[in-house]
Amino acid sequence: MWAHSMTVQDYQDLIDRGWRRSGRYVYKPVMNQTCCPQYTIRCRSLQFQPSKSHKKVLKKMLKFLAKGEISKGNCEDEPMEPSMEDAVAGDVALINKLDLQCDLKKLGDNLKESLEREVKKKGKSTKKEESNEFIQSQDKNEELGSGEPSHAVDVHTAPKPGKGADLSKPPCRKAKEIRKERKRLKLMQQSPAGGPEGFQAPREPKTKPNQPKSLEELIFESLPEDASHKLEFTGFLCTSPLEPENPPNGPDCGYGSFHQQYWLDGKIIAVGVIDILPYCVSSVYLYYDPDYSFLSLGVYSALREIAFTRQLHEKASQLSYYYMGFYIHSCPKMRYKGHYRPSDLLCPETYVWVPIEQCLPSLENSKYCRFNQDPEAADEGRSRDPDRLQVLYKKAILPYGVFKQQQREPGEEAAVLQYASLVGQACSERMLLFRN
């Protein structure tokens, strides 16, 4: 349908029944007939925790802003999970940060030799699965490595906590241990006295340092004064069928449709279009300068919008969800939206929200699924009294019960009843269906 004008509450109710908008065009897939069923998906933003791949995107942006570093490898925004090439490149970058020059093949060979030496020296057996993990990782690295000669480095295994750790020995050079060492160094630098507090034994961890960084801490991490680039983030109200509202108990920016602009060193590089509704921020679409695709702006903007949703929640407590449009399980390129957890999918028959983890097994067996497992459950918001539907006809507002007495057009009643069933009783009584 074409939306000439719509309140934010009406659109909120519509997207909770599977509708979406593109400009003024508002549409709803016929789920049990389409070749690729499109399920409305929402992320519970207050409980959202960025995944490892999300953190990589945020760190990549921070490195670019701070030092102008451009990460090599895959620049595609989707799929969300990093490729093996990205994972290897990231680990090599961490090793290079600690002034260790090595290639993956040499590192793997020395690693296996070092493991054998440590086993013989201490008379202890190394767990088979740990060794296999290193070897399997090495096999993949050999396929992806450049094969160019470089300096080798001996790798020492680090003793486990509580097993007589010898701090005089260098730590294990696995990427995981390198990240831990960098974190300890950072904690030491942040210590008020500059003392060795960050180097406490791993068996006595402090709760606070071990807590993962929040999304906001990752996004808004401070940059050095001499940062290479400056990224600015601005929002503007934009034209759409949604009527802007600014109630006293709503967010400071009000409700409606907005452009969120991303400016890099005074140049606009991306624009996100969002709808701010009573219970959610709904992402409409994003467009960006392809010259900056290496920054994964699709992922970065989604994370910024989730953080923005949490910010709005502080003023408008009922606003707590981030709607990402449609999740299409039958299309692999569209599954990335399911990686923003926790998230829910909308049941196409009863319009209740179901955690995505409960939906995926069913979607593996069938493209179209009713997620509500209660066979007796029905659509609570369904149209029960079509005669109360509101019609705009010849500049007059009429209940459909009155309007239909004046009409003899073939197919008119069927079209109106279909509209009523799709928008639900509440919207059919608030919105005006234009007829001529």
Side-chain angles (χ1 to χ4, degrees):
M1 59 187 178
W2 187 261
H4 297 273
S5 177
M6 186 179 295
T7 67
V8 291
Q9 185 62 60
D10 285 341
Y11 187 54
Q12 175 74 69
D13 289 349
L14 285 178
I15 62 175
D16 284 338
R17 293 184 63 82
W19 292 79
R20 293 292 294 175
R21 79 172 184 89
S22 179
R24 294 182 181 275
Y25 182 63
V26 188
Y27 59 98
K28 183 184 188 304
V30 184
M31 297 289 284
N32 59 352
Q33 297 181 25
T34 180
C35 62
C36 299
Q38 303 150 60
Y39 300 93
T40 303
I41 183 172
R42 72 177 185 183
C43 171
R44 284 172 256 152
S45 67
L46 303 186
Q47 292 81 39
F48 172 77
Q49 286 292 339
S51 68
K52 186 177 180 180
S53 61
H54 295 155
K55 293 177 182 178
K56 285 185 177 180
V57 170
L58 296 176
K59 290 177 181 178
K60 178 169 60 176
M61 175 65 80
L62 288 173
K63 286 181 180 179
F64 175 72
L65 296 177
K67 302 179 181 179
E69 294 182 7
I70 299 177
S71 299
K72 296 180 181 180
N74 186 16
C75 293
E76 296 290 336
D77 277 336
E78 316 304 351
M80 289 295 301
E81 295 304 324
S83 62
M84 180 60 70
E85 289 89 341
D86 289 336
V88 172
D91 290 343
V92 171
L94 286 171
I95 293 172
N96 289 339
K97 282 249 180 182
L98 294 177
D99 299 322
L100 298 174
Q101 301 294 327
C102 63
D103 78 338
L104 293 172
K105 184 168 173 37
K106 283 285 186 181
L107 177 59
D109 292 339
N110 283 281
L111 177 59
K112 287 187 282 188
E113 293 173 6
S114 178
L115 284 172
E116 292 172 359
R117 288 199 303 268
E118 290 294 326
V119 170
K120 291 178 181 179
K121 182 178 178 181
K122 295 187 177 182
K124 296 180 179 180
S125 61
T126 306
K127 287 185 179 180
K128 183 176 181 180
E129 56 269 21
E130 292 178 352
S131 179
N132 287 342
E133 180 182 345
F134 291 137
I135 295 170
Q136 290 171 5
S137 176
Q138 160 62 15
D139 292 338
K140 294 179 182 177
N141 292 343
E142 286 181 357
E143 296 175 5
L144 300 169
S146 63
E148 297 177 359
S150 61
H151 300 290
V153 59
D154 286 335
V155 180
H156 299 268
T157 56
K160 295 182 179 179
K163 298 292 183 179
D166 185 355
L167 297 179
S168 66
K169 290 186 178 181
C172 177
R173 293 296 101 184
K174 288 190 300 179
K176 182 177 180 181
E177 294 301 323
I178 292 171
R179 288 194 289 269
K180 289 182 179 180
E181 181 174 334
R182 291 180 65 208
K183 186 172 182 179
R184 288 195 294 269
L185 287 170
K186 186 175 181 180
L187 290 173
M188 185 188 71
Q189 293 171 355
Q190 293 175 350
S191 176
E197 182 179 355
F199 286 101
Q200 289 184 355
R203 58 188 169 186
E204 298 177 359
K206 289 207 170 185
T207 304
K208 190 171 182 180
N210 287 338
Q211 289 179 348
K213 283 187 176 182
S214 68
L215 176 62
E216 288 76 10
E217 289 174 321
L218 291 167
I219 291 178
F220 303 111
E221 187 170 326
S222 59
L223 295 171
E225 293 183 1
D226 59 345
S228 299
H229 300 284
K230 181 179 181 182
L231 181 68
E232 297 176 285
F233 184 74
T234 60
F236 297 93
L237 192 67
C238 65
T239 303
S240 87
L242 301 185
E243 295 293 334
E245 298 179 19
N246 204 337
N249 61 342
D252 293 335
C253 59
Y255 299 111
S257 300
F258 295 82
H259 282 167
Q260 292 192 319
Q261 301 178 355
Y262 297 77
W263 293 81
L264 181 66
D265 302 329
K267 175 186 177 182
I268 192 166
I269 63 169
V271 177
V273 182
I274 63 170
D275 293 330
I276 301 180
L277 305 175
Y279 307 127
C280 73
V281 168
S282 175
S283 178
V284 184
Y285 45 79
L286 173 88
Y287 50 95
Y288 61 88
D289 187 336
D291 289 345
Y292 295 91
S293 59
F294 64 89
L295 290 174
S296 302
L297 291 172
V299 179
Y300 181 77
S301 65
L303 296 173
R304 287 292 299 251
E305 288 170 3
I306 292 174
F308 182 59
T309 304
R310 287 150 68 136
Q311 177 187 341
L312 297 179
H313 172 77
E314 296 177 2
K315 181 67 185 297
S317 60
Q318 75 279 9
L319 199 164
S320 59
Y321 297 102
Y322 176 63
Y323 283 46
M324 297 174 281
F326 290 133
Y327 173 81
I328 308 176
H329 190 77
S330 56
C331 179
K333 288 187 177 181
M334 293 298 290
R335 292 186 183 184
Y336 70 92
K337 296 180 181 181
H339 297 162
Y340 296 81
R341 302 286 181 93
S343 57
D344 308 304
L345 297 183
L346 186 67
C347 176
E349 296 183 9
T350 61
Y351 303 111
V352 296
W353 294 97
V354 180
I356 192 171
E357 295 85 357
Q358 298 179 23
C359 304
L360 294 180
S362 299
L363 290 172
E364 287 294 327
N365 296 324
S366 174
K367 291 182 179 181
Y368 174 75
C369 299
R370 171 193 167 108
F371 300 136
N372 192 330
Q373 298 300 311
D374 181 1
E376 303 298 324
D379 171 17
E380 294 295 332
R382 65 187 180 277
S383 175
R384 291 183 169 89
D385 188 358
D387 285 351
R388 295 172 60 89
L389 179 151
Q390 298 294 295
V391 175
L392 179 62
Y393 177 64
K394 292 184 178 180
K395 298 183 179 180
I397 299 174
L398 304 172
Y400 177 66
V402 176
F403 171 77
K404 69 180 182 180
Q405 296 175 6
Q406 307 174 17
Q407 295 298 309
R408 296 293 184 269
E409 291 290 332
E412 175 72 15
E413 184 174 10
V416 173
L417 292 179
Q418 182 191 42
Y419 161 82
S421 68
L422 295 176
V423 302
Q425 186 69 34
C427 283
S428 71
E429 292 187 32
R430 293 197 306 255
M431 300 193 303
L432 302 179
L433 177 63
F434 176 74
R435 312 312 282 169
N436 58 21

